[in-house]
Amino acid sequence: MKNKAIIISLLGIALNIVVWCIYLFVNSGEMNMMVLLLTVPFGIVGAISGGFVERAFPKVMLMLVNILFTLSIVYPFIMWALMGPSILQNAM
């Protein structure tokens, strides 16, 4: 069971990396933000399965990385808020 938990958690991290690569490098207009919605279920499944790892350090690291990927849906909005309206004026 513990080996399966590690594999599932690492698979969640790998799938989140693939989703972020699609978001960053495949330009399809407004669909890019919809792709980031996939980080939520992948991250939640990875974090839950990371909780079943026996050793403390890998458990904490796998759960932390998967939770950060789960919350990564808000990263573009944070960047847009920090850049302010100037980025929208430059785009027009």
Side-chain angles (χ1 to χ4, degrees):
M1 180 67 182
K2 62 183 173 185
N3 290 335
K4 290 181 183 178
I6 293 172
I7 291 171
I8 292 171
S9 188
L10 290 175
L11 185 64
I13 293 170
L15 288 173
N16 276 317
I17 291 172
V18 168
V19 167
W20 267 98
C21 287
I22 290 170
Y23 172 71
L24 292 174
F25 301 117
V26 178
N27 188 9
S28 63
E30 293 182 14
M31 282 301 291
N32 280 340
M33 286 305 294
M34 297 301 289
V35 170
L36 282 182
L37 288 175
L38 289 173
T39 62
V40 175
F42 294 154
I44 290 173
V45 168
I48 291 171
S49 65
F52 290 103
V53 177
E54 289 183 3
R55 298 185 67 207
F57 182 73
K59 176 189 284 191
V60 170
M61 294 312 294
L62 288 172
M63 290 177 70
L64 181 67
V65 169
N66 277 299
I67 289 171
L68 287 175
F69 270 123
T70 301
L71 299 176
S72 69
I73 185 96
V74 298
Y75 296 160
F77 297 111
I78 292 171
M79 293 306 294
W80 288 335
L82 291 175
M83 289 181 189
S86 63
I87 191 168
L88 295 175
Q89 292 172 352
N90 291 338
M92 292 182 185

